[in-house]
Amino acid sequence: MPRELGGKLQRRTLLVLSSATILGGLGFGASASVGALLLAEVSGQDAISGLAAAMSNAGAAAAGIPLARIAARKGRRTAVVLGSSVAMLGALVAIFGAAIWQWWVLALGIGILGVAAAVQLLSRFAATDLALPQNRARDLSLVVWSITVGAVVGPNLMVPGSVVGGWLGVPPLAGVFVFTFFAQLAAVLVNYFGLRPDPLLTARELQAAAVAARPADARETTEEASASRRAKVLTIVIIGTAQAIMVGLMAMTPLHLKHHGGSDALVGFTLSLHIAGMYALSPIFGILAGRIGRLRVIIGGWVILLVAIYFAYLAGEQSLYVQVAMTLVGVGWSAVTVAGAALLTDLTSLAERPKWQGRADTLMSASGAAAGVLAGIVFAMSDFSILALVALAVLALGAIASMYPKLRVARAH
């Protein structure tokens, strides 16, 4: 396939992935905003509210490697369509759980719906399949950015969702999951009809000759392979650390605001700011990662997260401080994950890329799941400021991992 045709296909692939991600982000953003509040309402226990973020991330973690294996065998299109279809089932289970007032069924539905997050993670890597090495971070970030539209609007669907919930005779907040179901359905249709030909399978065709012709003296030695593996593992740790910080603080923000007299509108607006911070600036970080280097952008992300944790520690009853903190948490997370995903892609060959990307998505989501559970426990036993200190300790782990020398000289495959 000519390179010119590959470039046209890449532009078309980005458009399809971005469109589907907007739809998926709309539904998932809406459900993520109400999950903690609805679980607390149905269960009657604040500590269980952290299970919403935990189950969502656990669902994404459970789906990460299986979806990556499906992508490796049958292509990205099959993987994302299947994942979004499973997420539709999760929305139905969540509605049913709320209707019968069984918090564990609701939590199960949220967990199944978490597969939608795995689809979003897979989609951002799909954007790099046909991209030139110097454009990988930029193209990846464009798909990440497309989540902004739906994800920012999503939390503000609590009010219309309450109306839908009333029509269905379920707890008002559960009505949001109706929007989630139809948004995931639309994403399925866009990816099913739009991702033809498949970007990963096409990339293999385009690069097969180059990979086969690689000279023997260019192959990695055992020592180099070991160092490369450590670099990949540490890059995954970096991505997972940023996810744990983000989820841990975000999961308890609705309850913290509610405990200090915050309204549903305030909670929705604050989460919209947070989600906007996560995605709106991602193209800037993608461009910067291509120009000044992946690692420098990652380090910048740690600095932003440090400032965010400082505001979270001081927040108390000041909702403005909470909003500043959560916005910066989103921005810092974006810098680390966009540059980190591009770095991991640089460190892996095309043949092994789906495997390592699946591992990254799984650990990223598992980190979020663990953080959601621990955040609920810490918040129930203390307050938001102590939770911020725990996030600071987690940040130190990511910063240390970023010091590995091999990460500074990653070679694009």
Side-chain angles (χ1 to χ4, degrees), residues 13-15 17-18 21-22 120 122-128 138-148 279 282-283:
T13 298
L14 286 176
L15 178 61
L17 290 170
S18 297
T21 301
I22 287 174
Q120 291 180 344
L122 182 63
S123 295
R124 82 194 197 284
F125 281 128
T128 68
R138 183 201 66 187
D139 290 358
L140 181 151
S141 68
L142 289 175
V143 173
V144 173
W145 177 85
S146 66
I147 301 174
T148 307
Y279 303 118
S282 58

Side-chain angles (χ1 to χ4, degrees), residues 280-359:
L281 299 181
S282 58
I284 294 177
F285 294 129
I287 293 171
L288 287 174
R291 292 184 177 179
I292 68 175
R294 311 337 190 189
L295 191 58
R296 289 180 179 177
V297 175
I298 290 172
I299 293 172
W302 295 136
V303 174
I304 295 171
L305 285 170
L306 181 62
V307 176
I309 291 171
Y310 174 74
F311 275 99
Y313 177 76
L314 295 179
E317 298 182 1
Q318 300 294 322
S319 60
L320 177 60
Y321 278 21
V322 176
Q323 291 172 341
V324 171
M326 294 313 299
T327 302
L328 291 178
V329 164
V331 173
W333 174 90
S334 180
V336 174
T337 55
V338 166
L343 178 60
L344 182 64
T345 302
D346 291 344
L347 288 166
T348 53
S349 65
L350 182 63
E352 65 176 359
R353 199 163 288 160
K355 176 181 68 176
W356 282 97
Q357 290 171 345
R359 290 173 178 175

Side-chain angles (χ1 to χ4, degrees), residues 168-261:
L168 296 177
V170 299
L173 289 176
V176 172
F177 290 98
V178 176
F179 296 118
T180 300
F181 175 84
F182 286 104
Q184 294 299 323
L185 173 60
V188 166
L189 296 175
V190 169
N191 279 325
Y192 181 79
F193 291 105
L195 287 182
R196 297 171 183 260
D198 186 272
L200 179 59
L201 300 183
T202 303
R204 287 175 177 170
E205 293 177 6
L206 289 171
Q207 299 186 18
V211 171
R214 187 180 179 190
D217 58 3
R219 301 183 189 277
E220 292 180 324
T221 64
T222 301
E223 183 178 349
E224 289 173 338
S226 178
S228 176
R229 181 181 179 83
R230 285 195 295 271
K232 295 166 192 170
V233 171
L234 288 174
T235 301
I236 292 175
V237 169
I238 288 169
I239 295 172
T241 300
Q243 179 78 356
I245 294 171
M246 185 275 291
V247 172
L249 291 174
M250 180 274 293
M252 292 299 104
T253 293
L255 279 180
H256 176 72
L257 291 173
K258 284 286 190 179
H259 286 176
H260 291 90

Side-chain angles (χ1 to χ4, degrees), residues 63 67 80-91 109 111-113 115-116 188:
L67 287 181
V80 296
V81 167
L82 178 60
S84 294
S85 299
V86 173
M88 289 169 57
L89 173 63
I112 299 173
L113 181 57
V115 177
V188 166

Side-chain angles (χ1 to χ4, degrees), residues 33-54:
S33 64
V34 304
L37 296 175
L38 189 56
L39 266 179
E41 178 184 348
V42 172
S43 68
Q45 302 179 51
D46 286 350
I48 289 180
S49 64
L51 198 59

